[in-house]
């Protein structure tokens, strides 16, 4: 027969056994939870923002008429929808909302011919890694590296007047090298939709 002392000792041992069993069960549950969370796979979100290699797509552009110049010599042409200029007058510059692409005009004219302006501009551009790609038909195409924006491409076109002896207006587009096809479309569209003063002697290419 067990004495009261032995009974108390057995009760203590039984309580410790139950405690160890409960602790082991908790550890097993925690291990299962950790294993479950470790096997969860998160699917990365797909960005719809154009990447650095995506070029300006000519087919995605729509155009609207814009007016500039002066009251005595008004000028108008079609520019891509959404491209805005903060200035008017004879030297507006239209930028897309991201600031990557631009279209600018200089309607002041010059006594130099388009070919002379091409040579003058090619020799005066002070940019890093300047490379002239083409300088034909009064149009200069070039690339360079901007310290902030990286590789850039520019196209400047001068329209002739007085049988080619002077330049009537300059049209320039700018962007990245991968935008060349789209920028060419913008430049050509601006050239073909250009409306000049009635007394202007317009001799545009094409």
């Amino acid at each position: 027969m067990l004495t009261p002392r032995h009974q108390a000792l057995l009760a203590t041992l039984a309580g410790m056994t139950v405690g160890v069993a409960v602790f082991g069960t908790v550890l097993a549950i925690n291990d299962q939870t950790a294993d479950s969370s470790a096997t969860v796979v998160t699917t990365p979100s797909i960005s719809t923002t154009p990447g650095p290699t995506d070029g300006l797509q000519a087919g995605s552009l729509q155009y609207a008429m814009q007016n500039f110049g002066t009251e005595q010599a008004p000028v108008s042409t079609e520019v891509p929808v959404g491209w805005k200029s903060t200035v008017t007058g004879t030297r507006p510059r239209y930028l897309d909302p991201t600031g990557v692409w631009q279209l600018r005009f200089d309607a002041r004219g010059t006594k130099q011919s388009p070919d002379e302006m091409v040579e003058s501009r090619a020799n005066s551009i002070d940019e890093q890694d300047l490379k002239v790609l083409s300088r034909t038909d009064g149009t200069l195409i070039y690339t360079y590296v901007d310290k902030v924006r990286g590789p850039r491409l520019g196209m400047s076109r001068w329209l002739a007047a007085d049988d080619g002896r002077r330049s009537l207006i300059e049209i320039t587009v700018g962007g990245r090298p991968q935008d060349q096809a789209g920028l060419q479309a913008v430049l050509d569209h601006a050239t073909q939709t250009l409306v000049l003063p009635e007394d202007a002697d317009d001799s545009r290419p094409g």
Side-chain angles (χ1 to χ4, degrees):
M1 184 174 181
L2 296 176
T3 64
R5 181 180 178 184
H6 288 157
Q7 292 177 351
L9 180 60
L10 288 175
T12 301
L13 292 173
M16 292 176 63
T17 302
V18 172
V20 170
V22 172
F23 182 72
T25 302
V26 171
L27 287 177
I29 293 174
N30 288 339
D31 288 342
Q32 291 177 0
T33 303
D35 291 341
S36 299
S37 63
T39 57
V40 174
V41 178
T42 302
T43 302
S45 59
I46 300 176
S47 174
T48 57
T49 303
T53 59
D54 296 329
L56 178 62
Q57 301 299 312
S60 67
L61 296 171
Q62 295 181 328
Y63 296 88
M65 188 66 73
Q66 296 290 333
N67 302 309
F68 56 95
T70 64
E71 292 184 2
Q72 294 75 24
V75 181
S76 63
T77 192
E78 292 188 2
V79 307
V81 172
W83 294 25
K84 303 294 184 182
S85 178
T86 57
V87 298
T88 54
T90 59
R91 302 181 68 188
R93 184 177 67 158
Y94 298 89
L95 295 172
D96 81 286
T98 67
V100 174
W101 309 303
Q102 66 170 301
L103 167 64
R104 65 177 177 83
F105 301 87
D106 188 340
R108 295 174 298 175
T110 174
K111 294 181 179 180
Q112 292 179 290
S113 69
D115 288 340
E116 290 172 336
M117 288 302 302
V118 165
E119 294 301 320
S120 176
R121 181 64 56 81
N123 294 328
S124 65
I125 298 175
D126 184 17
E127 296 289 353
Q128 181 179 342
D129 295 334
L130 175 67
K131 295 180 181 179
V132 174
L133 305 182
S134 175
R135 56 177 86 194
T136 60
D137 297 327
T139 302
L140 175 67
I141 304 176
Y142 55 94
T143 61
Y144 62 95
V145 177
D146 184 89
K147 294 180 180 179
V148 177
R149 296 177 293 177
R152 300 289 292 175
L153 179 138
M155 300 182 182
S156 296
R157 173 177 291 167
W158 289 266
L159 301 187
D162 293 341
D163 296 326
R165 291 190 297 272
R166 65 184 180 91
S167 300
L168 189 62
I169 188 171
E170 175 192 341
I171 308 173
T172 294
V173 291
R176 305 163 302 178
Q178 62 265 36
D179 301 319
Q180 183 168 354
L183 293 174
Q184 183 72 60
V186 172
L187 178 61
D188 291 342
H189 192 87
T191 302
Q192 297 305 322
T193 59
L194 191 67
V195 179
L196 297 165
E198 294 182 359
D199 59 349
D201 180 7
D202 177 16
S203 179
R204 70 188 78 189

